[in-house]
């Protein structure tokens, strides 16, 4: 236990390194391109401009609302200062992750109860989640990932409480579950899968286990379901009334370029990485066929054994685990088969890491018992602490120069050095650039409804750019090819200014008028 406590402290300090180191770590460590998109919107909220980008001129819903409003707090305190506010952003993210570890411990105590008399193994599970290299990055990315994971775990703990109370569960506990389900949805919209699973399993439990009857079951469940909807309703109405769909434009924009089963080959490796969070898989081997087969077979064995063992225990833990696994399966199917952005797949699945870690621990504890009761604790502790030690080593590697560079600051630096603040810049990837240069227009439609409309109607944004106020386009090297595209007069309007594949930088500039 003392070792685990020390590792939790070390994990917290690691997350706070940007605060302790100051610039440039404060701006460049942990925060991702999409994280900066969310922070740009958060800053606009704090400045009274509402959810907007492009110097507060372009309303958007291309973010997840709960985390965005939470991250708006530091900007409100600092008057929108872009640098000092990042201190608050990192502190919030680290605090949320620490609360997530505590909630993980609570869920782990439920799942590992037969093996966990003194809480040792549940704290080990929490420490594995808290120090997993990929999970550290995902919980500190400036996005909703850490908050979403916390919201899921807290909702499941409340679900456990309601089920444990049975027919005696009061209205307060039931409504609390509904409110937490609504908050989980506001943390990230795909929590709808979890909410559906919870309410379906809750209804079946009341009907089959408590034998309350159909009418009484509805009387207990419907108010909680309505409350979850009431919590989510402002966001849904905002999306539908102002943007034409309850789905945020970021999801719609991302889906436009998706192909069926585009990410399916990545699924085995991503599941493996969260079954064993101390063992991130190198990208070069993720889709190698023998590796995929091995990972899929191992994941299938572990999760099947885990499901059987939980089912054998009986009681309410079966329903809690079933809800979480149903959520995990739904996320895997949705993002594996129907969504694009393979580079985000690891982040999309990160919120189900807790249940996958617990599955591995249950199998490990059972295997340890086969070695003899006297040696079981030593074997489990040795493997668990070895995994934690490996996580710590890999976290150290992430601090080496160039290992985890964000990859967009070279574009920011060029714009800061060459473009006046009042000049409009366009880019496909506008998270980092749009945060540091206010007058930046997004061109892939993730936070720009007009660009999304152009993509949907024309299949491209070239005409939209020609008719816009954009003077420069600055992005990764791929955008250089636009200068040769004659559609909608683009090649006549913009010329190639910089074309440096080695630096992964291209800049186009609007041609001078007559």
């Amino acid at each position: 236990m003392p070792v685990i406590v020390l590792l939790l402290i070390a994990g917290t300090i690691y997350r706070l390194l940007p605060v302790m180191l100051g610039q440039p770590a404060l701006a460049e460590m942990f925060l991702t391109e999409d994280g900066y998109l969310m922070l740009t919107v958060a800053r606009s909220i704090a400045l009274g401009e509402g959810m907007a980008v492009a110097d507060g001129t372009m309303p958007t819903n291309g973010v997840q609302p709960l985390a965005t409003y939470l991250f708006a707090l530091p900007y409100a305190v600092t008057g929108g200062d872009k640098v000092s506010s990042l201190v608050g952003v990192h502190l919030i993210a680290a605090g949320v992750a620490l609360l997530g570890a505590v909630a993980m411990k609570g869920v782990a105590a439920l799942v590992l109860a037969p093996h966990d008399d003194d809480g040792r193994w549940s704290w080990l599970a929490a420490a594995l989640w808290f120090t997993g290299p990929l999970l550290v990055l995902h919980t500190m990315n400036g996005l909703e990932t850490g908050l979403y994971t916390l919201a899921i775990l807290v909702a499941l703990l409340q679900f456990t409480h309601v089920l444990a109370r049975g027919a005696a569960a009061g209205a307060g506990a039931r409504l609390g579950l509904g409110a937490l389900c609504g908050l989980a949805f506001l943390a990230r919209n795909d929590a709808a899968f979890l909410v559906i699973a919870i309410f379906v399993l809750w209804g079946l439990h009341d009907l089959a286990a408590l034998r309350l009857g159909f009418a009484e079951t509805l009387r207990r469940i419907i108010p909680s379901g309505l409350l979850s909807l009431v919590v989510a309703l402002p966001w849904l109405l905002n999306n539908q009334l102002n943007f034409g769909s309850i789905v945020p434009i970021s999801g719609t924009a991302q889906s436009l370029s998706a192909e069926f089963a585009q990410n399916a080959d990545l699924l085995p490796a991503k599941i493996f990485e969260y079954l064993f969070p101390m063992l991130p898989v190198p990208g070069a081997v993720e889709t190698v066929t023998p590796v995929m087969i091995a990972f899929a077979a191992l994941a299938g064995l572990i999760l099947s054994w885990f499901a059987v063992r939980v089912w054998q225990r009986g009681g309410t833990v079966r329903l809690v685990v079933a809800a979480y696994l149903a959520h995990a399966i739904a996320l895997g199917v949705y993002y594996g088969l129907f969504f694009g952005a393979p580079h985000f797949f690891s982040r999309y699945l990160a919120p189900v890491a807790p249940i996958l870690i617990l599955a591995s621990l249950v199998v490990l504890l059972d295997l340890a018992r086969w070695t003899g009761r006297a040696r079981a604790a030593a074997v489990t502790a040795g493997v668990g602490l070895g995994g934690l030690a490996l996580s710590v080593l890999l976290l150290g590697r992430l601090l080496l120069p160039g290992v985890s560079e964000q990859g967009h600051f070279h574009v920011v630096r060029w714009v800061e050095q060459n473009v006046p603040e009042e000049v409009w810049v366009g880019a496909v990837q506008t998270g980092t650039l749009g945060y540091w240069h206010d007058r930046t227009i997004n061109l892939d439609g993730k936070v720009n409804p007009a660009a999304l409309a152009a993509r949907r109607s024309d299949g491209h944004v070239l005409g939209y750019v020609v008719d816009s106020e954009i003077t420069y386009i600055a992005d990764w090297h791929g955008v250089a090819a636009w200068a040769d595209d004659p559609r909608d007069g683009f090649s006549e309007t913009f010329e190639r200014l910089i074309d440096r594949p080695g630096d992964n930088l291209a800049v186009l500039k609007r041609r001078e008028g007559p």
Side-chain angles (χ1 to χ4, degrees):
M1 281 294 291
V3 174
I4 292 176
V5 171
L6 288 174
L7 285 169
L8 291 173
I9 294 173
T12 303
I13 293 174
Y14 187 91
R15 285 172 164 84
L16 295 178
L17 282 177
V19 176
M20 294 183 281
L21 295 174
Q23 287 282 57
L26 189 63
E28 300 185 24
M29 190 173 176
F30 296 139
L31 298 176
T32 61
E33 163 78 357
D34 278 17
Y36 267 120
L37 274 178
M38 178 171 283
L39 297 182
T40 301
V41 178
R43 181 172 178 268
S44 291
I45 292 171
L47 294 176
E49 299 164 346
M51 302 186 80
V53 292
D55 205 14
T57 64
M58 187 178 294
T60 186
N61 69 340
V63 292
Q64 302 297 333
L66 192 60
T68 306
Y69 275 92
L70 182 62
F71 285 136
L73 296 176
Y75 295 96
V77 171
T78 65
D81 186 82
K82 293 180 181 180
V83 176
S84 61
S85 296
L86 293 179
V87 173
V89 169
H90 286 293
L91 290 174
I92 288 172
V96 167
L98 192 57
L99 290 175
V102 174
M104 171 69 173
K105 193 273 177 188
V107 173
L110 171 72
V111 175
L112 302 175
H115 315 286
D116 198 34
D117 295 335
D118 57 2
R120 179 187 313 170
W121 306 128
S122 52
W123 275 118
L124 174 63
L128 285 169
W129 177 83
F130 193 66
T131 60
L134 285 176
L135 293 165
V136 169
L137 296 179
H138 289 321
T139 55
M140 296 299 296
N141 57 12
L143 287 162
E144 73 285 344
T145 316
L147 184 64
Y148 181 32
T149 305
L150 173 62
I152 288 172
L153 294 172
V154 172
L156 289 171
L157 288 172
Q158 184 65 16
F159 185 37
T160 302
H161 174 67
V162 170
L163 293 177
R165 297 280 295 169
R174 301 197 307 269
L175 291 174
L177 177 58
L180 289 170
C181 285
L183 288 173
F185 178 83
L186 293 180
R188 185 169 173 87
N189 295 173
D190 58 32
F193 297 132
L194 177 70
V195 175
I196 292 170
I198 284 176
F199 278 90
V200 168
L201 291 168
W202 185 12
L204 293 174
H205 172 262
D206 283 9
L207 285 171
L210 301 184
R211 301 184 182 278
L212 294 180
F214 191 70
E216 177 63 14
T217 296
L218 291 180
R219 186 192 70 79
R220 287 163 52 85
I221 290 177
I222 285 180
S224 300
L226 290 176
L227 180 57
S228 69
L229 182 59
V230 166
V231 173
L233 193 59
W235 180 242
L236 296 174
L237 288 176
N238 170 72
N239 294 346
Q240 184 63 48
L241 296 177
N242 295 321
F243 300 94
S245 171
I246 62 172
V247 179
I249 61 172
S250 53
T252 303
Q254 195 66 69
S255 297
L256 288 180
S257 57
E259 300 177 3
F260 180 73
Q262 180 177 343
N263 298 330
D265 56 348
L266 291 171
L267 188 57
K270 300 309 177 187
I271 293 176
F272 177 86
E273 286 180 328
Y274 294 136
L275 286 167
F276 305 100
M278 73 297 293
L279 296 173
V281 180
V285 302
E286 285 182 328
T287 56
V288 174
T289 301
V291 175
M292 290 169 52
I293 293 173
F295 286 163
L298 182 61
L301 287 172
I302 290 174
L303 292 173
S304 296
W305 182 263
F306 175 61
V308 169
R309 294 290 284 153
V310 171
W311 183 261
Q312 289 173 343
R313 278 185 55 191
T316 58
V317 66
R318 291 192 298 189
L319 300 180
V320 176
V321 169
Y324 206 171
L325 286 178
H327 181 54
I329 292 169
L331 291 183
V333 170
Y334 178 63
Y335 290 113
L337 300 183
F338 303 107
F339 212 73
H343 45 289
F344 294 144
F345 198 26
S346 177
R347 170 166 64 85
Y348 294 152
L349 294 186
V352 303
I355 195 65
L356 298 180
I357 291 170
L358 290 174
S360 291
L361 271 179
V362 166
V363 173
L364 172 62
L365 288 163
D366 283 343
L367 290 174
R369 278 182 176 74
W370 293 348
T371 67
R373 183 173 297 274
R375 298 175 58 194
V379 170
T380 308
V383 173
L385 292 176
L388 287 170
L390 183 56
S391 291
V392 170
L393 289 174
L394 290 174
L395 288 174
R397 177 181 174 274
L398 293 175
L399 297 178
L400 296 176
V403 173
S404 57
E405 288 182 354
Q406 197 227 55
H408 293 274
F409 272 94
H410 65 299
V411 181
V412 174
R413 284 188 284 270
W414 188 92
V415 170
E416 288 180 335
Q417 294 166 7
N418 296 277
V419 180
E421 292 183 3
E422 68 274 9
V423 173
W424 287 98
V425 177
V428 175
Q429 305 173 106
T430 54
T432 309
L433 178 60
Y435 182 88
W436 296 104
H437 183 83
D438 290 335
R439 294 203 159 195
T440 300
I441 295 178
N442 170 258
L443 299 181
D444 68 0
K446 284 186 180 179
V447 291
N448 181 349
L452 176 59
R455 287 187 64 195
R456 298 177 82 167
S457 62
D458 303 333
H460 59 81
V461 295
L462 301 180
Y464 166 74
V465 174
V466 168
D467 295 335
S468 72
E469 300 176 88
I470 294 172
T471 300
Y472 292 90
I473 296 175
D475 210 324
W476 284 359
H477 177 254
V479 79
W482 289 13
D484 301 319
D485 198 320
R487 288 178 294 179
D488 293 324
F490 188 88
S491 58
E492 297 178 0
T493 307
F494 281 84
E495 60 182 336
R496 190 182 289 109
L497 187 64
I498 291 179
D499 184 2
R500 298 205 297 254
D503 296 336
N504 197 18
L505 175 66
V507 178
L508 311 182
K509 184 181 179 182
R510 188 178 290 269
R511 298 179 187 272
E512 299 287 341

